[in-house]
Amino acid sequence: MAMSQQSIHGQWSSRWTFILAATGAAVGLGNIWKFPYLTGVHGGSAFVLVYIVCVAALGIPLMMAEILIGRRGRYTPVNTMKILAEESGAGPWWQSVGWLGTLAGMLILSYYSVIGGWTLAYVFKSATGAFRGVTGASAHTMFEAFVGNPWAILFWHTVFMIMTMMVVAKGVQGGIEKAVQFLMPALFVLLLLLLGYATTTGFFFDGLAFLFTPDVSRLSGTSMLTAMGQAFFSLSIGMGTIMIYGSYVPKGTSIAGTSIAIAGCDTAVALIAGMAIFPIVFANGMEPGAGPSLIFETLPVAFGHMTGGLIFGFLFFVLLLIAAWTSSISLIEPAVTLCIERYDMTRASASLWCGISTWALGIGTVVSFNVWADRTVFGMTFFDLLDFLTSNLMLPVGGILIASFAGWVMAPETSRSELDIRHPLGYTLWHLLIRYVAPFAVTLVLLHALGLL
Ligand code: PHE
């Protein structure tokens, strides 16, 4: 396999559509419920500051590394890593970075699609007025009854998976690009509408205070590491998604400028989501809970009691659905392109097979909320186990390996010419961060996640 000018899978029609697609991959469930909540718990603005430093010092350099590797290789992450390792005179085992990422994408999608299915169900629930007058207790019962029914969540998981695979099957320009060109602007408009709505609740500044009041005392070592882990997950780095999207980037696109734009959008969406959600929660005298309960229990109650709440509740779940959908598309792309390159499949049949196998794996997550709720390994259900394995192990290992490859294995002349940064110090700074800072800092996250630190 030789180095090629354009990927056999297609190319983005412009730098702008690449930014939309990569931002779509990055902005997901992680931004809309996890980031706002973590910020509140870990000391408000102090956490935001650490998060931004992590995005800038680790996230952006790693994203640049992934895009540059992807664009230079132009194949699925497995083959790209193989070709670039060969080019650098390193061993073929570097292709395992591609395998690890591709597998992580399928594993993440298997549970992400189940949660995406919940979001879809809640779009319908909110559209039919199911939240009218709900109380905390009835919202809890509604949610428990919903996830307690394996057939219901299997149904929505299936629909969500079909939606994802329909876009992927149509290819880079015909599918992914068309979808994000419509969905991402819609996502931004919805987010701004919700933000506007939050300002009318009378609790806008309480929300801001919750998110941004500096409280350094609440900032522990753990929260610094949490900020770093969240930055990785949120930017979708360490697993080949950005690498495959990078392989469709036209030559001559500034990698540094584009990475800064994507990371900036991702961070802005997370911050705005917090500014929109908390005033609505506080206006109803509710507590900001963690994870699924905030989105699927607290918010329906809040929306159910507010003027215009039914419409805005519906819009909120549409927003969440779009965020989950554009991330899901990116999660399966490495696996689909691998099947095309390795097994000579058409995109349609590769999408079908990857979709079916990921869907089947998702059944494990479906039952872990009901029939298998009591079956645990190390105290974790199947769903918890997958989440732990992917976010806490596979992404950090992927990040360390990608940073080491770009910083140590790739010849500096190669990365310098690919990045083509105009500012004289720009390249030096990137190289220092990717060589020394990123591998070390991510190793810290990993050790922490394993409880070894
Ligand atoms: N970044 C997505 C989110 O914030 C999750 C994701 C991780 C998507 C890794 C693709 C790859 O929800």
Side-chain angles (χ1 to χ4, degrees), residues 6-12 74 172-173 247-249 347:
Q6 196 179 323
S7 164
I8 51 167
H9 307 291
Q11 177 154 307
W12 305 116
R74 296 277 191 217
V172 180
Q173 284 197 359
S247 75
Y248 309 144
V249 171
R347 188 174 259 272

Side-chain angles (χ1 to χ4, degrees), residues 25-31 108 112 233-236 239 241 327 330-331 395:
V27 173
L29 299 168
N31 299 58
I108 296 178
Y112 211 83
F233 185 80
S234 190
L235 295 173
S236 307
M239 52 148 297
T241 323
S327 294
S330 72
L331 282 163
L395 292 194

Side-chain angles (χ1 to χ4, degrees), residues 186-199 272 276 312 315:
L187 183 141
F188 286 113
V189 170
L190 287 175
L191 195 63
L192 293 180
L193 271 177
L194 279 159
L195 184 67
Y197 181 63
T199 61
I272 297 173
F312 281 94
L315 294 180

Side-chain angles (χ1 to χ4, degrees), residues 137-151:
S138 65
H140 180 71
T141 317
M142 190 193 329
F143 183 62
E144 292 287 301
F146 173 60
V147 298
N149 179 350
W151 295 108

Side-chain angles (χ1 to χ4, degrees), residues 1-12 67 69-77 79-80 83 171-173 176 243-251 333-334 336-338 340-341 347:
M1 252 176 252
M3 215 74 77
S4 75
Q5 283 301 309
Q6 196 179 323
S7 164
I8 51 167
H9 307 291
Q11 177 154 307
W12 305 116
I67 299 176
I69 292 174
R71 192 179 70 177
R72 190 166 177 83
R74 296 277 191 217
Y75 286 98
T76 193
N79 287 333
T80 282
I83 294 169
V172 180
Q173 284 197 359
I176 306 177
M243 199 185 283
I244 189 74
Y245 274 18
S247 75
Y248 309 144
V249 171
K251 199 99 192 130
E333 184 67 8
V336 169
T337 48
L338 181 70
I340 298 173
E341 287 177 26
R347 188 174 259 272

Side-chain angles (χ1 to χ4, degrees), residues 349-385:
S349 56
S351 307
L352 185 69
W353 288 114
C354 292
I356 290 178
S357 33
T358 311
W359 172 84
L361 193 65
I363 297 176
T365 295
V366 166
V367 292
S368 72
F369 290 99
N370 33 70
V371 271
W372 274 10
D374 299 329
R375 295 206 185 182
T376 54
V377 182
F378 304 120
M380 290 186 270
T381 62
F382 184 80
F383 165 68
D384 296 331
L385 199 67

